[in-house]
Amino acid sequence: MTEQRRPRPRAFRLEGDQTVTAKATPSTDDAGTPSIEVVEAEFDAFALEAAQLADGLTGDEAAVEAAQAGGMLRRYVFSWGGVFLSAVSGLMSLAFTLWIWGFVEDLFQRSALLGMVGLSLAGLAAVAALISITREFRAIGRQNRIAKLHAALAEAHASDDGKAARERVGELCKLYEDRPDTGRARALLNDYLKRIIDGRDLITLAERNLVAPLDEEARREIAGAAKRVSVVTAISPRALLDVLFVVGQAIVLMRKIAEIYGGKPGLLGFFKLARSVGAHLAITGGVAVGDSILQQALGHGIAARISAKLGEGVLNGLLTARVGLSAMAVCRPTPFIAEKQPGVRDVAPFLFGDKTKS
């Protein structure tokens, strides 16, 4: 048997970032002169994505945070219009209180029993109003908490901050502690918090296990609303009924999506949510129209020629789906990282004639 030769140890000389062997000789051409190798810079197709990841904000995420800042996180600032509305509201409240007071006094003059009944009803109304105001402010605070958690998770994922990621994921679990349907996912995440996991991976696991099932529920709500709007407006005989039904479905859809992600908005909270949804539609509207609605208009040209109402129904369904997707983006407690942000074709494929995904 022949013994295999083993390579002898060699010495290397380091020059900056290059490693040169001791016997390295420059290459020469046929004429004997040293040849120069020219290396051209290549275009990196992922440079923009890497830069956006380093900054922590992609185009979609920047639009979501801008919409949240303009709506749910918007603070009331001093303005003469606001002073006017506050003064008028105060005067109306005083007038209503004085009217109630005078009415109760009249009841006491007629009968002590009627006066006690009127006073009890007035007190009950005051307690109910106080509880409603308290719930309203709690709902607004919960919406602000979700919006701030969204931005904090995006920042922690961009910087790969393990400590911040653990704190935010723990806060995410507390947000849904009153939801029995999230119990298994929360228990799994609490187990992950005890392990040594990178910040980005921990946030990705939280999105896949806890938020992804909520996304599926939100998609079903968007698809159902878009289907109802498209069918009803296609057969509705009056344009006014179309407008009222579309607006009503948009309001109901935004409230349902907010409740799915834990928002539970009241009256004032809904106004702030609607402002965020409108801001998101204004920021991303051009891209969405060019990508989905224009394709739909071209794809259903024959249907629109056959029936104008059918074309209106399809268009109204698309607009409803767009409202739902914007509400989904601004109400979601985590940014879209592991999960792909859905489009109109993903949530309402039946509007595009695709029956396999509906």
Side-chain angles (χ1 to χ4, degrees):
M1 297 178 63
T2 59
E3 183 178 357
Q4 297 181 351
R5 289 188 176 183
R6 296 182 178 179
R8 295 182 179 181
R10 292 184 298 173
F12 296 91
R13 177 165 45 88
L14 300 178
E15 293 184 358
D17 295 336
Q18 298 179 352
T19 302
V20 183
T21 60
K23 295 182 179 181
T25 57
S27 58
T28 59
D29 55 9
D30 297 338
T33 58
S35 61
I36 300 176
E37 182 179 0
V38 179
V39 180
E40 298 181 357
E42 297 182 358
F43 174 74
D44 189 358
F46 301 97
L48 179 59
E49 182 179 356
Q52 290 177 343
L53 183 61
D55 293 338
L57 292 177
T58 60
D60 294 335
E61 179 59 25
V64 171
E65 295 191 11
Q68 290 176 339
M72 292 187 291
L73 295 178
R74 183 181 178 87
R75 295 183 177 180
Y76 295 101
V77 295
F78 175 81
S79 64
W80 288 111
V83 172
F84 173 76
L85 292 177
S86 300
V88 171
S89 301
L91 288 175
M92 294 177 63
S93 300
L94 286 175
F96 182 73
T97 304
L98 290 176
W99 178 78
I100 292 293
W101 185 268
F103 180 70
V104 173
E105 285 184 344
D106 292 341
L107 289 178
F108 270 108
Q109 291 178 1
R110 292 176 179 271
S111 171
L113 181 59
L114 291 177
M116 290 301 298
V117 172
L119 184 61
S120 301
L121 293 176
L124 184 62
V127 171
L130 182 61
I131 293 176
S132 299
I133 293 174
T134 303
R135 288 183 175 180
E136 191 71 38
F137 281 103
R138 288 183 60 185
I140 293 176
R142 191 176 181 89
Q143 280 185 316
N144 292 346
R145 179 184 174 188
I146 293 176
K148 292 178 180 179
L149 180 60
H150 181 110
L153 285 171
E155 182 179 358
H157 180 270
S159 59
D160 198 10
D161 189 344
K163 182 179 179 181
R166 293 179 185 278
E167 293 177 356
R168 303 311 175 195
V169 171
E171 187 177 351
L172 181 64
C173 293
K174 291 181 180 179
L175 182 66
Y176 298 106
E177 61 184 359
D178 58 342
R179 299 272 294 269
D181 55 330
T182 62
R184 183 177 181 181
R186 286 186 285 107
L188 187 61
L189 288 178
N190 288 327
D191 181 61
Y192 288 150
L193 290 174
K194 301 176 183 178
R195 303 181 183 182
I196 302 177
I197 303 177
D198 293 339
R200 288 178 179 170
D201 296 335
L202 187 61
I203 295 175
T204 300
L205 290 172
E207 182 188 11
R208 287 177 176 173
N209 291 278
L210 185 57
V211 183
L214 303 180
D215 293 341
E216 291 298 326
E217 188 175 354
R219 289 188 183 191
R220 288 194 294 269
E221 291 292 340
I222 296 172
K227 185 175 294 185
R228 287 191 297 271
V229 167
S230 61
V231 172
V232 171
T233 55
I235 63 177
S236 176
R238 299 291 181 182
L240 180 60
L241 296 178
D242 295 349
V243 174
L244 293 177
F245 187 79
V246 171
V247 173
Q249 284 295 309
I251 293 174
V252 172
L253 180 61
M254 286 188 287
R255 290 184 64 91
K256 283 186 177 180
I257 291 178
E259 291 175 359
I260 288 173
Y261 291 111
K264 301 178 182 179
L267 180 62
L268 297 178
F270 173 76
F271 288 152
K272 295 171 73 69
L273 172 61
R275 186 164 188 159
S276 292
V277 172
H280 188 265
L281 286 172
I283 296 172
T284 63
V287 177
V289 169
D291 182 46
S292 298
I293 296 182
L294 183 58
Q295 294 178 3
Q296 182 61 23
L298 294 176
H300 283 76
I302 299 177
R305 292 190 185 96
I306 297 175
S307 174
K309 294 295 294 182
L310 180 59
E312 292 177 6
V314 171
L315 182 60
N316 289 329
L318 283 167
L319 294 177
T320 304
R322 283 290 301 130
V323 171
L325 291 174
S326 293
M328 180 179 178
V330 299
C331 294
R332 204 171 187 262
T334 62
F336 286 97
I337 300 172
E339 301 293 326
K340 178 185 176 183
Q341 185 170 1
V344 177
R345 186 181 291 272
D346 299 322
V347 297
F350 50 86
L351 295 176
F352 295 82
D354 188 356
K355 299 181 181 180
T356 60
K357 299 180 181 181
S358 57

